[in-house]
Amino acid sequence: MVRQRQRPQNKKISPVIAIANQKGGVGKTNVTFNLSGALAEKNQKILLIDLDQQGNLSSVFLDSIYNLKITVADILLDDDIPVLRAIQKTSFQNIDIIPSNIDLSKIDLQLAGEPDAQYFLVDKLKEIKASYDYTIIDCPPSLGLATRIGLVAADKVIIPLECQEWAVKGTAHLRGAIAKIRKRANPQLKIMGYLINRYDGRRKLEEVYRDTILESFKDKVFKVELKSSVRYAEAATFKKPITTYLPVSQYAEVYRRLAEEILDYG
Ligand SMILES: Nc1ncnc2c1ncn2[C@@H]1O[C@H](COP(=O)(O)OP(=O)(O)O)[C@@H](O)[C@H]1O
Ligand SMILES: [Mg+2]
């Protein structure tokens, strides 16, 4: 019998990317924000999911996060709420968001007795992820339930880090968590890459830490390095991704290159 050829892969892959690092302030939210702008500019339809109860990502896309009717917490806590109801359009073409606010803090207690809680987001995403080219999840600065939910729902992880003393060691717990999740809950989860952020270059010591990162993670480090620049913080303050805020600038260009690296990865 002739073996049937595998079905051609014309099915859309629609990868889900988690931006994670349990350390706060490394740029997870800023990267999610600016990367979504750069990918949207390349005609990619993006769904963002804010999994941080601080709701910083939601704040840069929406007017207020205090009076949201439905947040990511609602779809995690109530299986009857369709995920579509939680998706909000933003003022940017190609970017939608499932927002978050302090309500997300309820999940730790309310889902404590639910052994399957880590699967609640991946289950919900099944209904809609094919409508997007990329889903990008902004994880909180911890390795708690919200991050686990994000990693179980993701195909790939981007780990932003700064060239600082504990940068490599600091990712050990996250790498451990990823390895554990890969064993059973989500075997296809891959580390897509480590992303150097807030590189200043004026301090000699930074170069030493950067070498340590490159030696440790080798070709898993993105070619693109994001410099430290007040422009990135400004872009967030003015609620425009850098590719919109300063379209003709080295700061936007570097994000376009990062978007290319991600598109090449698949
Ligand atoms: N490359 C950068 N250059 C300058 N400031 C940055 C850069 N990346 C992030 N920031 C700023 O650093 C702060 C922390 O970044 P944020 O994205 O909130 O980190 P995280 O989400 O990992 O906690 C924010 O004020 C943000 O605007
Ligand atoms: Mg954040």
Side-chain angles (χ1 to χ4, degrees), residues 22 31 33 38 50 66 69 75 84 86 88 97 120 142-143 151 175 204 217 223 260:
Q22 81 274 22
V31 166
F33 174 56
D50 190 350
Y66 301 106
K69 287 212 180 75
I75 59 166
L84 269 177
Q88 298 211 14
I97 185 167
F120 287 180
S142 77
L143 289 178
L151 292 174
R175 285 181 279 130
K204 193 87 200 123
F217 302 132
K223 289 191 200 79
E260 286 295 335

Side-chain angles (χ1 to χ4, degrees), residues 4 10 30 46 65 79 91 103 107 110 120 129 135 147 153 156 162 179 182 213 216 234-235 245 263:
Q4 242 189 344
N10 52 5
N30 203 271
I46 309 298
I65 59 165
D79 199 31
S91 57
D103 285 353
I107 65 166
Q110 292 197 21
F120 287 180
K129 75 174 198 170
T135 298
T147 293
K156 303 153 200 211
E162 293 175 77
R182 207 185 270 145
I213 291 171
S216 306
E234 262 175 37
Y245 179 62
L263 288 169

Side-chain angles (χ1 to χ4, degrees), residues 108-121:
D108 286 318
L109 265 181
Q110 292 197 21
L111 297 180
E114 293 271 3
D116 284 343
Q118 60 181 342
Y119 299 104
F120 287 180
L121 184 63

Side-chain angles (χ1 to χ4, degrees), residues 19-175:
I19 314 281
N21 188 333
Q22 81 274 22
K23 189 164 187 279
V26 294
K28 292 177 289 295
T29 302
N30 203 271
V31 166
T32 307
F33 174 56
N34 287 310
L35 178 61
S36 68
L39 284 167
E41 190 186 69
K42 291 182 189 295
N43 282 327
Q44 302 297 301
K45 200 162 177 350
I46 309 298
L47 174 64
L48 296 174
I49 302 177
D50 190 350
L51 273 185
D52 189 346
Q53 63 188 54
Q54 291 181 76
N56 294 346
L57 183 71
S58 306
S59 310
V60 288
F61 281 108
L62 306 173
D63 289 337
S64 168
I65 59 165
Y66 301 106
N67 53 4
L68 295 169
K69 287 212 180 75
I70 295 182
T71 68
V72 71
D74 296 296
I75 59 166
L76 293 173
L77 291 169
D78 186 345
D79 199 31
D80 292 333
I81 297 181
V83 65
L84 269 177
R85 280 189 56 204
I87 298 177
Q88 298 211 14
K89 295 236 163 292
T90 71
S91 57
F92 298 93
Q93 212 187 355
N94 289 341
I95 305 179
D96 292 351
I97 185 167
I98 299 181
S100 160
N101 60 20
I102 192 67
D103 285 353
L104 189 59
S105 62
K106 292 181 195 160
I107 65 166
D108 286 318
L109 265 181
Q110 292 197 21
L111 297 180
E114 293 271 3
D116 284 343
Q118 60 181 342
Y119 299 104
F120 287 180
L121 184 63
V122 71
D123 287 349
K124 291 275 180 172
L125 284 184
K126 278 179 194 143
E127 299 165 32
I128 46 138
K129 75 174 198 170
S131 315
Y132 293 90
D133 294 304
Y134 287 92
T135 298
I136 308 178
I137 304 174
D138 184 20
C139 293
S142 77
L143 289 178
L145 179 59
T147 293
R148 195 142 32 91
I149 283 173
L151 292 174
V152 171
D155 305 301
K156 303 153 200 211
V157 193
I158 293 177
I159 304 176
L161 33 76
E162 293 175 77
C163 294
Q164 287 182 349
E165 189 170 6
W166 301 108
V168 172
K169 279 203 183 127
T171 61
H173 289 300
L174 174 59
R175 285 181 279 130

